[in-house]
Amino acid sequence: MPERSLIRNVMTSPDPRRHAPATARNREPILDVLRRVLPEAGHALEIGSGTGEHAVFFAQALPAWQWTPTEADPDALASIQAWIAASGLTNVDPPRLLDVQAADWGVPPVDAILACNVIHYAPWATTPALLEGAARLLRPGGVLYLYGPYRRGGQHTAPSNAEFDVWLKQRNPVFAVRDLDEVQAEAEARGLVLCEVVEMPANNLSVVFRKAAMTP
Ligand SMILES: C[S@@+](CC[C@H](N)C(=O)[O-])C[C@H]1O[C@@H](n2cnc3c(N)ncnc32)[C@H](O)[C@@H]1O
């Protein structure tokens, strides 16, 4: 079953840390892919960081990377900040408010952009906006990493993904499991080349795009 967003606070108030149980299940498989596709060191911009659990886990596991978590939802920032503070990590920046549909993301060029479980929890317009921003802000050769469930060739890849799609649309009619072919077409129109599609647990995919490196 794909990852329904079940978020609760770790403890009762005043601890602002939120907990999404799916992050504990998917973070190791995601990290395995990141270790393989990312260079040794760099600066990563995480889109839709949610609770902030992924940010601290990946930053701890990849200490040569500087991590910038971001969120479109201002209510999520306190949780992300609290996870960072509790981690004691020095390679995670304070969370930034960032809606990918903004014309200017207000951040410098980066080596990687990650968006886990974002594009199906948002209107379709979020996907081209994310790709546009990635094409603009990634350094040549930089990686755009997407994680989540996808349709392929217009079809769901598993019954659980079809059920999840129904559940998403009941939650918000503009949410939907996206078709990888459509995402790829939008990406390649912006110079982001599909490098890898990795099957992940629970019928999710890791989708890795790379911005074309500049020729000398
Ligand atoms: C299901 S949560 C995923 C959180 C986290 N990445 C994870 O995998 O647990 C989806 C997140 O996408 C964010 N989001 C939705 N639309 C967005 C947009 N236009 N720009 C940036 N983030 C957005 C939401 O605020 C939400 O936190």
Side-chain angles (χ1 to χ4, degrees), residues 5 20 23 26 46-51 54 71-73 98-101 116-118 121-122 126:
S5 181
T23 58
N26 62 32
E46 184 184 357
I47 304 298
S49 295
T51 63
H54 272 161
E71 246 305 329
D73 176 4
L98 173 58
D99 184 326
V100 297
Q101 295 201 58
C116 298
N117 291 314
V118 172
Y121 274 101
T126 300

